[in-house]
Amino acid sequence: MRLKPRPATASGTRRLARRHPAALLALFLCSTGGALAALALPAALGHTVEGLIDGGPVPWSGLLLCAVLTLAETGFDAGAAVVGTSTTARLTAHLRTRTTARVLAAEPRDALAVPTGDLTARLTARTADAAAAPVTAAGAVAGVLLPLGAVTGLFLIDPWTAAAFLLGAPLLVALLHTFTRRTADAGADYQRAQSVIAHRLTEALDGADTIRAARTGAREYRRILEPLGALADHGRRTWTVYGRAAGQSALLLPLLMLLVLAVGGLRLGAGAIGVGDLVAASRYAALAVGIGALTGALGALARSRAAARTLDPLLTLDPLPHDGLGPLPGGPGHLELRDVGVVQDGQPLLTGVRLTVPGGTSLAVVGRSGSGKSVFAAVAGRLLDPDTGTVLLDGVPLTAMDPALLRPEVAYAFARPALPGTTVEDTIAFGPWTADPEAVRAAARAARADGFIGLLPYGYATLLTDAPLSGGERQRLGLARAFAHPGRLLILDDALSGLDTVTEHHVRRALDERAGRCTRVIVAHRLSSAARADRVLWLEDGRVRATGPHEELWADPEYRAVFRTEVGEAAETGALPPARTEVEAR
């Protein structure tokens, strides 16, 4: 699915600039003040030189003015640097927060249309580049004001000297235009190559165990670094653009300076200007040809523009639509799916699913790999909107509920849970609301996580970075987080797969204790989970093959085939009657 951004009403730079207008105004004033001080200094210096040459008393006032202007220029430049750096940091934080919020508020299929690694690069490096645009634009005033003011100063001193400089002005303009265009193109290509590498690296990190087991590390290494050649080419291209601009300016600018000084010398010899005027003209010529700051600003703006283009599809993502409703107060968690269908890339993932789950009961969702179990789990709690049909919770369509009101009512646990937070306690407490310490510990006990947490160096206060966790321990923390935020609907998407048999038994008991108070939807791969549920939903190729109690479905040999690898475990745990176990064993 491709992102289709809707047109923005204002440019990203203007939108960001409205966040901190006072800071940008201060930056503008500092840059302007520094530029004006720099422009006033040559005139003051020339006047002072004239006073010294005339042989009169030492022009202390002129010397003092030159010193004050020098200090003012330095102070304004320092102020602009401090204000610009801090403002860029604040704008970057705002843009990252805003972009992340847009991604999280959108339907996952839209947000995840961007590969994970590319998405990470956009939310980190690209936001920093794009957020620098307002500060760069405000600071670029000095880069524009200095050459314009310097040319004006040359005209005031001597029009012929200014005319000599203007002979080369078209070449300067052409140089700046070419530099800006080529820098923007090279920067955009460089960012695209970075995104490809980031995406492939993320894929490899997610599948590190598989890569290690398959002994394909060398091949993955080559695959990840394959775009590095293109990245190097784009980097060299960027520096080539800078180098050519620097080389051309290194040739053009001294020639312009030489021409201005030659004309100024001739005018001095003719008595049209004085020595002080020549000194001032030489300083103004240096300011006029000193386009380094302007070149840097144009390059930064080009990079910001390229980065902003990559953020536009994220910033214009539509949030999940809703009618502002909430679930019925005190509802038991009655879940209903009416003709639900999900299609992705033209392939049906779910088709015509009709199901009613009475409030407070448990439903096991079973099926072979690719049958649509995780898609069903995502649709049931509105992590994914169906393309057809309706999902209702206690009689209210999920699409009509305000996500802020729906989220506290639906808790999820996954096979590979993300663990936000600094400490173990932070991770369990993280959710629609921050669970209190008592709820955190009770949830950890229910998930059978309190045992290994107690063995950590600082218990619940242990930093996650100092807590080496196995896959099963991570799952238990994810379960504990779900238990710590009880709602009317609890969805476990393969969240018991990493648990040993004994631990799973205790967790299932904790789930059973929620009967009547919470509806539980459990994506099950183990026979024991299906056997313990009130009802089983059997999916096949995205369609409902059958629903009913596990004991009834077990009569179908194709249903038994779904759990063929689990029969031995079922016999050990007593999930099957002895006679059926013996038959299946034969």
Side-chain angles (χ1 to χ4, degrees), residues 147 150-151 154 160-176 245 247-265 278 280-292:
V151 172
L154 284 175
W160 288 101
T161 306
F165 174 80
L166 291 178
L167 286 176
L171 295 177
L172 278 175
V173 173
L175 176 63
L176 291 175
Q248 292 168 354
S249 62
L251 176 64
L252 176 61
L253 302 185
L255 290 176
L256 282 176
M257 282 288 296
L258 181 62
L259 180 60
V260 169
L261 291 177
V263 173
L278 182 59
S282 65
R283 294 289 300 167
Y284 279 130
L287 292 176
V289 301
I291 61 170

Side-chain angles (χ1 to χ4, degrees), residues 202-244:
T202 302
E203 285 182 330
L205 291 174
D206 287 341
D209 292 339
T210 303
I211 294 171
R212 189 182 300 112
R215 301 179 65 85
T216 57
R219 187 170 64 189
E220 284 299 308
Y221 179 83
R222 291 192 297 271
R223 186 180 75 90
I224 294 169
L225 297 185
E226 184 268 332
L228 200 60
L231 185 71
D233 290 340
H234 298 320
R236 282 192 293 268
R237 186 170 136 216
T238 300
W239 287 110
T240 299
V241 172
Y242 274 100
R244 287 179 178 174

Side-chain angles (χ1 to χ4, degrees), residues 354-358 361-365 520 522 529-537 546-550 553:
R354 297 181 181 181
L355 181 70
T356 298
V357 185
T361 64
S362 61
L363 174 75
V365 184
R520 290 139 290 147
I522 304 166
S529 296
R532 201 176 185 103
D534 296 321
R535 193 178 181 193
V536 175
L537 168 65
T547 61
H550 170 74
L553 296 179

Side-chain angles (χ1 to χ4, degrees), residues 37-420:
L39 291 172
L41 183 58
L45 184 61
H47 181 74
T48 303
V49 169
E50 288 288 352
L52 289 172
I53 292 176
D54 289 343
V58 176
W60 293 109
S61 58
L63 293 173
L64 179 61
L65 178 60
C66 291
V68 169
L69 290 174
T70 301
L71 291 175
E73 180 183 0
T74 304
F76 279 126
D77 289 346
V82 172
V83 174
T85 301
S86 60
T87 304
T88 299
R90 290 197 296 269
L91 290 176
T92 300
H94 163 73
L95 187 56
R96 283 176 179 165
T97 302
R98 181 164 161 256
T99 307
T100 303
R102 276 283 187 176
V103 171
L104 295 178
E107 186 179 4
R109 276 188 298 180
D110 291 341
L112 296 181
V114 179
T116 305
D118 187 10
L119 181 62
T120 302
R122 296 191 195 194
L123 293 176
T124 54
R126 304 294 177 270
T127 51
D129 289 338
V135 171
T136 303
V141 172
V144 175
L145 187 58
L146 281 176
L148 293 179
V151 172
T152 302
L154 284 175
F155 264 109
L156 293 176
I157 292 171
D158 182 57
W160 288 101
T161 306
F165 174 80
L166 291 178
L167 286 176
L171 295 177
L172 278 175
V173 173
L175 176 63
L176 291 175
H177 175 73
T178 302
F179 170 79
T180 303
R181 177 172 52 81
R182 292 179 177 175
T183 299
D185 293 341
D189 292 340
Y190 188 88
Q191 291 172 356
R192 279 192 288 270
Q194 275 186 321
S195 296
V196 172
I197 294 176
H199 174 57
R200 294 185 180 181
L201 179 59
T202 302
E203 285 182 330
L205 291 174
D206 287 341
D209 292 339
T210 303
I211 294 171
R212 189 182 300 112
R215 301 179 65 85
T216 57
R219 187 170 64 189
E220 284 299 308
Y221 179 83
R222 291 192 297 271
R223 186 180 75 90
I224 294 169
L225 297 185
E226 184 268 332
L228 200 60
L231 185 71
D233 290 340
H234 298 320
R236 282 192 293 268
R237 186 170 136 216
T238 300
W239 287 110
T240 299
V241 172
Y242 274 100
R244 287 179 178 174
Q248 292 168 354
S249 62
L251 176 64
L252 176 61
L253 302 185
L255 290 176
L256 282 176
M257 282 288 296
L258 181 62
L259 180 60
V260 169
L261 291 177
V263 173
L266 293 175
R267 298 290 288 167
L268 175 65
I273 61 174
V275 175
D277 293 331
L278 182 59
V279 171
S282 65
R283 294 289 300 167
Y284 279 130
L287 292 176
V289 301
I291 61 170
L294 184 58
T295 302
L298 290 174
L301 286 173
R303 290 192 300 273
S304 296
R305 185 178 179 183
R309 282 198 295 267
T310 67
L311 296 179
D312 281 342
L314 303 180
L315 289 170
T316 53
L317 282 172
D318 290 321
L320 283 173
H322 61 87
D323 296 333
L325 301 180
L328 295 176
H334 184 88
L335 182 66
E336 184 178 359
L337 286 81
R338 299 176 180 173
D339 293 317
V340 167
V342 176
V343 179
Q344 183 172 349
D345 297 330
Q347 298 297 320
L349 304 181
L350 289 179
T351 304
V353 176
R354 297 181 181 181
L355 181 70
T356 298
V357 185
T361 64
S362 61
L363 174 75
V365 184
V366 305
R368 291 185 173 87
S369 177
S371 60
K373 299 185 297 296
S374 291
V375 178
F376 176 90
V379 167
R382 209 191 180 192
L383 293 185
L384 180 69
D385 274 346
D387 294 294
T388 59
T390 306
V391 182
L392 301 95
L393 181 62
D394 288 325
V396 182
L398 296 188
T399 53
M401 295 186 193
D402 185 340
L405 300 176
L406 173 63
R407 283 300 120 217
E409 300 295 339
V410 181
Y412 270 94
F414 299 96
R416 300 177 62 186
L419 300 180

Side-chain angles (χ1 to χ4, degrees), residues 16-31:
L16 284 172
R18 288 195 289 268
R19 294 293 305 176
H20 297 287
L24 293 176
L25 177 61
L27 176 61
F28 172 81
L29 293 177
C30 286
S31 300

